[in-house]
Amino acid sequence: MRALPFLAAAGATLAASVALAGPPKLVISGANFQPYPLAVAPLSPLPGAGEAATEIYQTLANDLAVSGLFDPNVLDPKGYLADPHEPMTVDGIHFQRWTDVGAEGLVKGQVRIAGGEAVADFYLFDVLAREQQIHKSYAAPVAGARRLAHRFADDLVQYFTQEPGPFESEIAFVKDVGRQTKEIFVSDWDGANQRQITHGGQLNLLPSWAPDGRGVGYTSYRLGHPDLWETFLPSLQAKVISTRGDLETGIAFSPDGRRIAFAMAQEDNDQIYELDLAGGAAKRMTDSYGIDASPTWSPDGKQLAFVSQREGSPQIYVMNADGSSPRRLTYQGNYNQTPRWSPRGDLIAFTARDERAVFDLFTVNVQTGQVQRITQDQGQNSDPSWSPNGRLLVFVSTRTGKSELWVTTPDGNSQHPITHGGGYSMPAWGPSYRK
Amino acid sequence: MTAEAAFADMAPPRPPAFPLGASVVVSALLHVGLVGALLFGTSIFHPAPLLQPQTIHVKLARIGTPRDKRLLPRRPDEPSSRAAAPIPLSASHAVEVASTHHPKLTAKQSKSPEDQLRNALAKLKQQVDDQTGDPNGFQTGTDDVTEGDLYNARVVDRIRRFYQVPNTISQAECAKLTADVEISLAADGTILDQKTQASSGNRLFDRAIEDAVKKCRALPAPPPAVAQQWRDGVVLEFVCGKM
């Protein structure tokens, strides 16, 4: 008998239902996913608020476009002629016009300046039901008006996905600021509002956020050799965490913020160590002949993933947080590195060099070991870091000829640059928190 | 020469022994006979076409070897410049036609009517395999199902084409979502009525499945054996995740 899975299932269900004398039932499973058709009308400025309205609108539209959740064809304002005088009320909106351009959701808003602050009112309408779903009103200093857009973008993501949005979070990254000088910077998630947080004039590398977002750890040569440091925000006060080994890199804070894992070289043997930030000696977690480096915590803090050369080529391994039961996770490729565990816990993103000697981003399923490619045939791509909700990744790409930061969805279908000018590397996406 | 004979030579010509119409008929018959003889002769001296059912095994062979499992995977969506490059597919390379009489045929060898027929069948098979299929058909075939099962599967097949939910619904939430919609059909398959029997609790998902049914407009006409059942109402249970 040839296999007819869904047919057999449908038939069986139908028969069972008939036997119970109720209406017959057919089961239809496996929905196809598609972006939600959301239109965003340019925000209406009250007198004096034109510049702020434009900035907020562009920031909001970019957030939603990069999210990968919404249909870019409907988001694109070139697809429709919005009436700037259309009111913000259900009774005044010409819903049929929005239906005609394929929108099922509609965002409208108004911006005004009051008391030196930009005040934005945002509305979300259900075009098909002709109902208002959300009304939010926010205020911020005019200079930080774009923050209002991030906040409402997070509200939209929360509304549609029942998950927190990532747009109020920040990223840390390394930027070339001079000859042989790399400093740590922090910016909004979209690369705007960049602030330099280290000023050592040396090499400062591999930033990693403390889980409360109040500090960034990194490796710095400011004392002449690579040690672990942390700079606290917003004070920018810096302190050394560890100066123990010959080479200390890859600091990773545990999810509870009490411990760090890092790679430390002693007598030319890199191994993974763990350190209680309250004090005490560093505890060695791995013991192999090959190099072990780049630790990353599972979101529950019970496991660590890391890179090891113990079987010849660099591969991704997973072990318990106490160092027990290490197991190899990747068997494809011969140069896998920079693992980053997803906040959802199911995937680990990493950089791998493929058979064409090109570095690209991949994910590996922690349970099944299945590897999926994110980037392909677009320059060198490396150093992925997850957004706090696990729906986006920031990474480094040279596809434009310069080293820039890009953001992608984990399936690689929506990729956008967030920096320009070159010299960017080693991004780390910070935790989600509201300022 | 007699006087009568000489007189006869001087007389006007006699009318023909057969009238003109009869000559035309005879000529036509001769032509028909000639054409028939030619056709008959052709059938004698050439092999008859294959009239008896005969199994022709067709095997499709894709050029190249499977990707080494030790290598990192490639994305299916190659850049357009690469994707546009045609995959070489010829009778001699991509389609291997095998039978007891002709283990392997090439385009140059297929000249006889039998070979031409085999080639035509092979090409037809290839075309069928290359197509996505009859919109009302099934990839796995329908040789062992009842008429009612077959119809149910056709309904499922059609509705699934419109079963699209927004990706704002996370995979984790999708795994929990189900909703029931009851529909009734006219004898011609027109959807007479649809109503949500059990909501999923997710507005976007509920709307997506309502849209899926609406966009169908009509379903295949139910066979007489189950027409009344479908007129009375059948519940469609939409499961967001895969079963």
Side-chain angles (χ1 to χ4, degrees):
Chain A
M1 175 178 175
R2 279 191 270 179
L4 290 170
F6 67 92
L7 193 58
T13 307
L14 191 64
S17 300
V18 170
L20 295 174
K25 181 179 277 191
L26 283 181
V27 179
I28 304 171
S29 63
N32 303 303
F33 285 88
Q34 65 176 7
Y36 182 76
L38 178 72
V40 182
L43 305 182
S44 301
L46 291 183
E51 195 173 330
T54 300
E55 183 182 24
I56 293 171
Y57 170 74
Q58 290 174 345
T59 304
L60 176 63
N62 184 56
D63 286 359
L64 300 180
V66 173
S67 74
L69 296 171
F70 304 106
D71 188 339
N73 295 322
V74 181
L75 278 174
D76 188 351
K78 294 174 184 170
Y80 47 83
L81 288 174
D83 178 2
H85 303 295
E86 189 179 58
M88 306 283 168
T89 59
V90 170
D91 294 337
I93 294 174
H94 302 290
F95 284 108
Q96 187 58 47
R97 291 184 187 173
W98 295 103
T99 304
D100 290 344
V101 299
E104 293 184 13
L106 170 64
V107 169
K108 294 177 74 72
Q110 190 176 60
V111 180
R112 66 183 188 277
I113 305 296
E117 289 192 320
V119 180
D121 283 282
F122 295 102
Y123 302 86
L124 170 67
F125 297 96
D126 185 323
V127 173
L128 300 181
R130 305 189 175 205
E131 293 174 351
Q132 178 183 307
Q133 303 294 330
I134 294 178
H135 171 217
K136 299 281 186 180
S137 184
Y138 305 123
V142 174
R146 63 196 322 278
R147 190 185 303 170
L148 305 180
H150 291 320
R151 179 160 296 188
F152 187 62
D154 277 349
D155 287 336
L156 288 174
V157 172
Q158 177 76 46
Y159 175 79
F160 282 108
T161 68
Q162 285 84 52
E163 297 171 356
F167 301 117
E168 284 190 278
S169 58
E170 294 180 314
I171 56 171
F173 51 87
V174 173
K175 188 176 180 182
D176 297 343
V177 295
R179 190 169 175 270
Q180 299 290 321
T181 304
K182 294 176 182 288
E183 299 286 3
I184 308 292
F185 283 69
V186 166
S187 76
D188 295 352
W189 81 268
D190 54 5
N193 195 22
Q194 296 184 7
R195 291 99 65 199
Q196 185 174 339
I197 67 166
T198 62
H199 297 83
Q202 302 285 336
L203 290 178
N204 298 280
L205 308 168
L206 297 167
S208 175
W209 286 85
D212 61 2
R214 301 187 185 282
V216 175
Y218 51 95
T219 295
S220 177
Y221 283 73
R222 69 178 62 182
L223 297 180
H225 43 81
D227 304 311
L228 298 182
W229 286 72
E230 182 176 8
T231 291
F232 296 96
L233 302 175
S235 67
L236 301 188
Q237 182 184 0
K239 78 166 188 178
V240 66
I241 296 178
S242 174
T243 58
R244 290 173 173 80
D246 302 329
L247 173 65
E248 292 171 282
T249 60
I251 182 172
F253 290 88
S254 64
D256 61 9
R258 295 177 178 173
R259 296 166 291 166
I260 58 168
F262 59 101
M264 183 164 66
Q266 288 184 320
E267 298 175 356
D268 291 335
N269 185 11
D270 281 70
Q271 296 295 311
I272 306 294
Y273 288 78
E274 186 181 304
L275 178 67
D276 191 329
L277 291 174
K283 178 184 172 186
R284 182 166 172 167
M285 309 299 291
T286 59
D287 185 9
S288 71
Y289 289 109
I291 292 174
D292 292 344
S294 300
T296 176
W297 295 84
S298 64
D300 61 6
K302 294 180 179 177
Q303 291 180 291
L304 282 164
F306 59 100
V307 177
S308 179
Q309 280 187 310
R310 62 188 63 189
E311 293 181 51
S313 63
Q315 297 290 345
I316 311 298
Y317 287 73
V318 172
M319 64 180 176
N320 293 330
D322 61 2
S324 64
S325 305
R327 67 180 174 95
R328 182 172 167 177
L329 190 58
T330 57
Y331 289 87
Q332 291 167 276
N334 57 15
Y335 202 95
N336 302 333
Q337 55 182 347
T338 70
R340 294 292 182 270
W341 209 311
S342 162
R344 294 169 183 266
D346 55 344
L347 300 175
I348 292 175
F350 62 100
T351 306
R353 188 181 63 194
D354 67 13
E355 75 274 17
R356 305 179 187 191
V358 174
F359 287 95
D360 271 312
L361 303 189
F362 296 82
T363 58
V364 57
N365 187 297
V366 179
Q367 295 300 321
T368 66
Q370 184 184 13
V371 174
Q372 289 194 313
R373 183 184 282 260
I374 300 174
T375 58
Q376 179 170 285
D377 299 334
Q378 291 173 311
Q380 306 283 346
N381 302 279
S382 62
D383 300 329
S385 178
W386 292 94
S387 67
N389 66 355
R391 281 183 176 267
L392 294 171
L393 287 153
V394 62
F395 64 102
V396 180
S397 181
T398 63
R399 67 189 66 180
T400 61
K402 295 179 179 178
S403 181
E404 305 286 1
L405 301 184
W406 286 64
V407 169
T408 180
T409 49
D411 58 13
N413 290 337
S414 174
Q415 301 184 22
H416 300 262
I418 61 170
T419 62
H420 304 281
Y424 295 88
S425 60
M426 302 179 189
W429 204 315
S432 183
Y433 64 96
R434 296 209 170 198
K435 299 171 187 174
Chain B
M1 174 182 288
T2 63
E4 185 179 356
F7 181 77
D9 288 341
M10 298 170 58
R14 295 177 182 177
F18 298 102
L20 180 60
S23 299
V24 170
V25 170
V26 169
S27 174
L29 288 174
L30 285 173
H31 279 84
V32 168
L34 182 59
V35 171
L38 285 172
L39 290 175
F40 181 70
T42 302
S43 66
I44 288 177
F45 297 108
H46 287 79
L50 295 173
L51 298 178
Q52 292 183 348
Q54 184 177 3
T55 303
I56 298 176
H57 300 282
V58 178
K59 186 172 74 175
L60 294 180
R62 195 180 185 90
I63 296 174
T65 56
R67 186 169 176 79
D68 190 333
K69 291 183 178 178
R70 292 169 299 180
L71 298 177
L72 293 156
R74 299 279 298 169
R75 284 174 62 94
D77 50 339
E78 293 270 334
S80 56
S81 58
R82 294 181 185 222
I87 300 172
L89 196 66
S90 65
S92 59
H93 288 107
V95 180
E96 182 180 330
V97 182
S99 72
T100 54
H101 304 295
H102 298 274
K104 189 172 185 179
L105 292 177
T106 63
K108 289 182 179 178
Q109 291 171 326
S110 55
K111 290 181 178 178
S112 71
E114 185 176 344
D115 292 342
Q116 289 175 1
L117 178 59
R118 290 180 194 283
N119 262 5
L121 287 172
K123 286 180 181 176
L124 184 62
K125 170 76 170 130
Q126 182 183 334
Q127 288 173 359
V128 168
D129 286 349
D130 288 345
Q131 288 175 349
T132 54
D134 184 333
N136 293 319
F138 309 99
Q139 286 187 332
T140 47
T142 57
D143 59 347
D144 55 358
V145 293
T146 66
E147 192 178 30
D149 284 344
L150 178 60
Y151 179 72
N152 293 340
R154 292 176 69 186
V155 169
V156 171
D157 222 24
R158 177 159 173 79
I159 295 176
R160 279 198 66 187
R161 280 180 226 148
F162 302 101
Y163 186 21
Q164 296 176 323
V165 302
N167 61 4
T168 53
I169 297 175
S170 69
Q171 296 284 354
E173 186 181 4
C174 175
K176 306 174 197 166
L177 295 177
T178 64
D180 292 350
V181 176
E182 183 173 354
I183 64 171
S184 62
L185 296 187
D188 64 354
T190 303
I191 298 174
L192 298 173
D193 187 29
Q194 77 174 80
K195 55 190 173 188
T196 300
Q197 269 201 342
S199 166
S200 68
N202 183 305
R203 183 176 55 83
L204 293 178
F205 180 72
D206 285 351
R207 178 181 291 167
I209 62 176
E210 286 171 16
D211 287 350
V213 177
K214 279 180 186 169
K215 286 174 181 172
C216 286
R217 297 177 186 274
L219 294 168
V226 295
Q228 187 59 45
Q229 189 177 58
W230 280 89
R231 187 173 189 89
D232 294 342
V234 169
V235 174
L236 307 175
E237 180 183 357
F238 286 86
V239 178
C240 185
K242 290 181 179 176
M243 295 183 70

